[in-house]
Amino acid sequence: MAAPLPIASADADPSFAELLAARPHLSLHALDGLLVEEVPLARIAAAVGTPSWVYSAGALRRRARALKAALAGAGLRASVHYAVKANGNLAVLRVLASEGLGADVVSEGELRLARAAGIPASAIVFSGVGKTERELRLALAEDIAQINIESAEEAAMLSALAASLGRVARVALRVNPDVDARTHAKITTGRSENKFGVGIDDAPALYARLAAMPGLRPVGIAMHIGSQITSGMAAYRAAYARMAELATVLIGRGLPVEHLDCGGGLGIPYRDEPAPAPEALAGAIAATLGPLGLPVMLEPGRWIAGPPGLLLSSVVLQKQGAGRRFLVLDAAMNDLVRPAMYEAWHGILPVSPADCAAALAPSDVVGPVCETGDTFARGRALPSLQPGALVALLDAGAYGAVMSSTYNMRPLAAEVLVDGSRFAVVRDRQGYEAMLAGQRLPDWLAEGAVP
Ligand SMILES: *Cc1c(COP(=O)(O)O)cnc(C)c1O
């Protein structure tokens, strides 16, 4: 017998009702079960199979608008450049492009993706600590809005390339403010020991050099201090205060500073942790950078794309282990790696109305991959579920599909966009033929192999 559930304490996981109430694009229908907007997840599973990623277009739009409204409400002239790495699905990008968002890209692939989604080059920013010459060449050819320079070495490389092509690159200098964003160590980026940006003490001299280098036109300063920042505004305020000081020094020396790139990182409540609203971030920016009167840029990824997505999965079987109940899903760490990689907590909801109302007992929710780390949750209060029952892993829209792999020769899952009462497959489930297509035997091993 499974142990009875502990009495609710301050530390208890949120209930199904609480998870739903905090996610307005989800609802539970007495007959149809869990819905995304107006579409029952059971319908999507029947049509597309599982595991599948499901994104709410309505939630994406609402969040894009809420962020822009918060920035405008704080009196800021701001442009939002969605960080494509959080979710690079073409349809998701298309929805965000229609909302007037630009893109922050970190590779040639993301630059191509953003352009394919209809995001104009004039709204694209290129970040990253190791842009290759080939990538910089494409950025110059496309004449994108801004390339964020992360080192003196990169500046020299870009200057030589731009000059040789007869182009002038608009560059921002990414500065490492040496503040602790107090987030997971794997996603903090603004400490001096991190690989990102140049030290703030070196920034004035380097910025002056950029202004004198052929093929470069410095247009601003960029910072990005980390991801999933939920610890309040202290780290942001500290970073942006340093940015304001630096901008004042540069302007005082007659150097051009046209705008300030505030990066991304705004966290979301995966469980029920307090997470700052966009109004708090807008307020922190206005308080620190507002007096400079310059336009600001934001590069949010997770805050926009995280909550609108979920991973829909089927129960393979429920296994009674020694003192533990295991729920084995057809989704695994190769699909959603965040629990294995960052010890992340994701809400898990049953999809059928009966399962949502059934008695709860602690379950370890795992995938079929041959790693103990392939665990989505431990001791989670869930009903007893039959093979084939559907569950939704919540808030999986950011750093979900983009981080998935084919480990254990598991195909990449399908992606589905819901928009009101409509839904469409926006990325096919990978087929086994496609998985094998790029592999070949050298001729000396080919003899006798299956053709
Ligand atoms: C990852 C990244 C972002 C987006 O971070 P989120 O936490 O998803 O908002 C923005 N800017 C840069 C430079 C990044 O590397």
Side-chain angles (χ1 to χ4, degrees):
M1 272 301 290
L5 267 186
I7 307 295
S9 70
D11 210 29
D13 287 337
S15 66
F16 296 163
E18 287 166 333
L19 289 171
L20 283 170
R23 290 159 184 80
H25 57 292
L26 301 180
S27 61
L28 186 62
H29 187 271
L31 296 175
D32 294 331
L34 192 59
L35 310 189
V36 172
E37 301 190 37
E38 294 158 47
V39 180
L41 282 169
R43 230 171 85 203
I44 294 176
V48 184
T50 57
S52 290
W53 306 93
V54 182
Y55 309 126
S56 158
L60 287 165
R61 289 191 194 103
R62 263 200 307 280
R63 297 183 76 81
R65 288 174 197 173
L67 184 58
K68 290 207 292 190
L71 294 163
L76 294 164
R77 277 185 295 154
S79 57
V80 178
H81 302 262
Y82 165 70
V84 173
K85 75 172 193 270
N87 183 323
N89 182 278
L90 195 63
V92 166
L93 290 175
R94 184 74 199 138
V95 169
L96 297 176
S98 314
E99 291 298 313
L101 268 54
D104 172 53
V105 302
V106 294
S107 68
E108 173 175 349
E110 286 190 358
L111 176 49
R112 289 171 179 274
L113 198 55
R115 296 291 291 119
I119 297 176
S122 60
I124 297 179
V125 175
F126 199 152
S127 303
V129 71
K131 306 173 205 77
T132 64
E133 184 183 312
R134 181 188 151 114
E135 289 175 322
L136 292 172
R137 211 176 264 279
L138 178 66
L140 288 167
E142 291 271 335
D143 196 24
I144 65 169
Q146 177 175 303
I147 299 174
N148 288 353
I149 292 284
E150 299 224 8
S151 62
E153 294 81 355
E154 183 177 49
M157 190 168 148
L158 180 58
S159 167
L161 191 62
S164 76
L165 295 170
R167 299 234 173 212
V168 176
R170 285 172 295 275
V171 297
L173 183 60
R174 177 159 177 192
V175 173
N176 186 324
D178 196 20
V179 301
D180 184 357
R182 298 210 287 134
T183 181
H184 193 282
K186 285 182 186 159
I187 48 176
T188 194
T189 56
R191 301 301 307 278
S192 57
E193 69 260 32
N194 299 137
K195 68 182 174 183
F196 301 98
V198 303
I200 194 150
D201 297 335
D202 303 329
L206 182 53
Y207 200 91
R209 266 166 59 206
L210 295 182
M213 287 167 94
L216 300 188
R217 178 154 78 84
V219 293
I221 311 167
M223 282 185 184
H224 171 71
I225 58 173
S227 195
Q228 183 53 10
I229 298 171
T230 52
S231 56
M233 284 298 124
Y236 274 125
R237 277 178 176 269
Y240 298 150
R242 286 180 193 176
M243 185 187 264
E245 267 174 53
L246 175 60
T248 305
V249 167
L250 298 178
I251 293 165
R253 293 185 190 173
L255 293 163
V257 181
E258 295 171 21
H259 52 239
L260 301 166
D261 182 343
C262 297
L266 192 59
I268 58 171
Y270 281 98
R271 191 170 176 262
D272 51 4
E273 58 273 47
E279 286 75 14
L281 178 59
I285 295 172
T288 48
L289 300 173
L292 292 165
L294 294 170
V296 297
M297 304 160 84
L298 262 86
E299 302 169 347
R302 185 190 313 268
W303 195 87
I304 297 279
L310 58 80
L311 178 58
L312 179 61
S313 178
S314 302
V315 173
V316 176
L317 54 85
Q318 188 172 280
K319 161 179 170 174
Q320 189 57 54
R324 301 187 91 82
R325 185 168 86 183
F326 292 99
L327 199 58
V328 186
L329 303 183
D330 67 354
M333 65 186 288
N334 73 294
D335 301 301
L336 179 63
V337 77
R338 298 192 66 260
M341 187 139 131
Y342 309 118
E343 296 93 40
W345 193 99
H346 282 266
I348 302 175
L349 286 175
V351 169
S352 99
D355 288 341
C356 285
L360 306 177
S363 290
D364 285 8
V365 184
V366 303
V369 161
C370 311
E371 302 243 2
T372 302
D374 186 23
T375 298
F376 291 121
R378 285 187 200 287
R380 188 68 61 85
L382 286 168
S384 179
L385 294 170
Q386 295 300 313
L390 297 169
V391 296
L393 286 89
L394 306 182
D395 306 317
Y399 306 105
V402 285
M403 292 181 97
S404 56
S405 76
T406 57
Y407 187 38
N408 281 212
M409 190 63 181
R410 291 167 47 85
L412 297 176
E415 293 175 75
V416 173
L417 186 76
V418 172
D419 199 349
S421 58
R422 293 178 291 189
F423 75 92
V425 174
V426 290
R427 183 180 185 170
D428 292 335
R429 185 179 311 286
Q430 195 177 25
Y432 291 108
E433 270 160 34
M435 291 177 80
L436 274 171
Q439 301 205 49
R440 62 190 97 259
L441 293 170
D443 52 9
W444 69 90
L445 292 178
E447 207 177 323
V450 183

